[in-house]
Amino acid sequence: MTTNYHYKNLQSPTKITLTEAQTAGHADHWRILTDDMSHDVPEWLQQMIEQATMPKGLNSNVSAKDSCLLLSEDQPCHINQVLAMKDGKPERFVNAYPCVDSLYGLNCTIERMIVNETTHDAVLRLRTADGSIIYAFDQLYTANRHLYQQGTSYFVNFSAWAHEITISEQQEVIMVEDQEAIRSHRAFNDIVAANNGQVPTDIQEQVKDWQPTTKEQMEPVEINLGHMCAYLFGDTLGQEDEAWCQGQVLGKQQCKFNGKDIILFDVVILREQDADPFVVRIAAPSTPQTQAIGVLNYIQANIWLQAAIYKENQNKQNTKLQLQTQSRAS
């Protein structure tokens, strides 16, 4: 079979290779879905073989000559399974991990790959068009590992499993009383408002020259930390995909994972001026706590962030979203 890529001429992103001791594995990820991994996971893997598909990633075709085969499923929440191949036939099990499909993504370049070549676990360090750094586990590393090019912009779909997800603490409020900080805050807002929501190129000069016209403009500023969007990636090598985030729920729906009820939350976790919003589809088991989270609520969560790069998505721009006032039906 042929592909549209020529491996010899590619300059791959920087690769950092992990040892077995440095690789965390997926036990904590399976624990999100079951308390009995030794029984449930082997059963799920056996069941998926009956309806498995082969994701192509950046390939036009799946090559039978590859040393490893990636199997998946056509479900919103599913398992990806990696098998070692010999003479075109599966030889042994390599790895398996639960995945979430997502409609949402950003255009990014791959700055480096943090990889365990034995297990095909890979964390991508991605840079968005506005310069934000995102780390995410690569769902499709097995299919795409020979094809990534340094400096190439890819549309990357982002999803996650939630280790924990709760409504943000609404009482987390701070008061800004420093007069210069207040002046800068009011100046920025006034200047942007006067420019129809656009940040002018000389914003710093305009902020420096701005002066209040009323006494009220210099009163203390109240900031509700529970209404912020934030993303913090992990600080351990090879586990940067284990992230903390806070954001606003834009959509909510339900699905199944091997008979288990799952809730999918579409959450914007970065929303900066003049930048595409960073929206992640976050999956969590259905519980009274997750059921209580509604559209427009702000949440905070510990997540396992995932990335998927498909050839058919490469002409896409970031999905533009509008706030929704009610949950979408599954």
Side-chain angles (χ1 to χ4, degrees):
M1 296 183 181
T2 60
T3 72
N4 291 340
Y5 294 85
H6 302 282
Y7 295 176
K8 294 181 180 179
N9 299 325
L10 299 184
Q11 185 175 1
S12 298
T14 300
K15 181 184 292 186
I16 297 174
T17 303
L18 298 181
T19 65
E20 291 295 317
Q22 293 173 307
T23 305
H26 295 290
D28 285 343
H29 305 142
W30 290 116
R31 288 191 189 99
I32 296 172
L33 294 159
T34 177
D35 294 324
D36 190 358
M37 286 187 296
S38 61
H39 174 269
D40 288 344
V41 175
E43 184 174 295
W44 294 341
L45 295 179
Q46 181 62 39
Q47 290 174 356
M48 74 164 286
I49 295 298
E50 299 175 5
Q51 52 189 11
T53 62
M54 290 185 288
K56 299 174 184 177
L58 288 170
N59 255 324
S60 295
N61 300 288
V62 177
S63 174
K65 297 180 181 179
D66 204 339
S67 61
C68 283
L69 178 68
L70 180 64
L71 299 179
S72 188
E73 301 169 280
D74 289 327
Q75 300 293 332
C77 296
H78 59 275
I79 296 172
N80 277 12
Q81 185 173 174
V82 182
L83 301 175
M85 302 289 287
K86 185 175 182 180
D87 299 326
K89 297 180 180 180
E91 181 183 31
R92 59 182 173 83
F93 171 83
V94 174
N95 201 357
Y97 41 86
C99 295
V100 182
D101 279 344
S102 174
L103 301 173
Y104 310 111
L106 293 171
N107 291 290
C108 305
T109 56
I110 302 172
E111 290 199 333
R112 71 184 186 203
M113 304 180 291
I114 306 167
V115 179
N116 181 318
E117 294 287 16
T118 302
T119 62
H120 285 222
D121 287 317
V123 175
L124 304 181
R125 175 185 166 99
L126 303 159
R127 182 180 292 272
T128 67
D130 69 309
S132 297
I133 299 298
I134 300 169
Y135 284 90
F137 178 83
D138 188 354
Q139 294 182 2
L140 301 177
Y141 179 74
T142 300
N144 288 342
R145 66 192 188 281
H146 300 304
L147 306 176
Y148 292 139
Q149 297 187 56
Q150 192 176 66
T152 297
S153 179
Y154 298 101
F155 183 85
V156 184
N157 294 91
F158 289 104
S159 59
W161 286 102
H163 294 283
E164 183 180 9
I165 182 169
T166 60
I167 295 176
S168 296
E169 179 55 61
Q170 301 302 298
Q171 283 70 45
E172 293 184 22
V173 176
I174 61 172
M175 295 296 293
V176 178
E177 298 181 347
D178 179 80
Q179 290 294 288
E180 183 55 30
I182 293 171
R183 195 191 71 80
S184 297
H185 174 80
R186 303 289 191 196
F188 183 89
N189 287 345
D190 277 4
I191 293 164
V192 171
N195 282 271
N196 298 316
Q198 300 297 313
V199 179
T201 56
D202 62 342
I203 183 66
Q204 292 182 346
E205 290 78 6
Q206 290 195 44
V207 168
K208 183 178 179 181
D209 294 338
W210 183 91
Q211 294 298 325
T213 56
T214 66
K215 181 180 178 180
E216 287 74 17
Q217 288 177 310
M218 293 304 294
E219 290 182 351
V221 176
E222 181 179 286
I223 298 177
N224 189 329
L225 298 181
H227 286 178
M228 293 176 61
C229 293
Y231 158 70
L232 299 174
F233 51 77
D235 57 7
T236 301
L237 179 65
Q239 298 177 44
E240 294 94 340
D241 50 339
E242 300 290 347
W244 178 90
C245 69
Q246 180 169 287
Q248 188 174 30
V249 178
L250 306 180
K252 177 182 178 181
Q253 57 184 302
Q254 293 187 341
C255 69
K256 294 278 190 179
F257 175 89
N258 288 286
K260 295 180 178 291
D261 291 324
I262 302 294
I263 299 180
L264 302 176
F265 299 99
D266 300 331
V267 183
V268 55
I269 64 174
L270 286 180
R271 186 162 45 191
E272 302 293 341
Q273 189 76 27
D274 292 334
D276 288 331
F278 181 20
V279 180
V280 178
R281 174 159 285 177
I282 300 176
S286 180
T287 65
Q289 185 182 46
T290 55
Q291 290 169 11
I293 299 171
V295 174
L296 302 186
N297 283 159
Y298 279 83
I299 60 89
Q300 52 188 218
N302 294 314
I303 61 173
W304 177 38
L305 187 59
Q306 302 181 346
I309 303 177
Y310 295 95
K311 180 181 178 182
E312 59 264 28
N313 290 350
Q314 294 316 301
N315 292 326
K316 287 187 178 182
Q317 297 297 315
N318 181 59
T319 303
K320 303 298 182 182
L321 299 173
Q322 295 180 343
L323 294 182
Q324 300 179 40
T325 56
Q326 60 182 9
S327 301
R328 294 198 300 268
S330 60

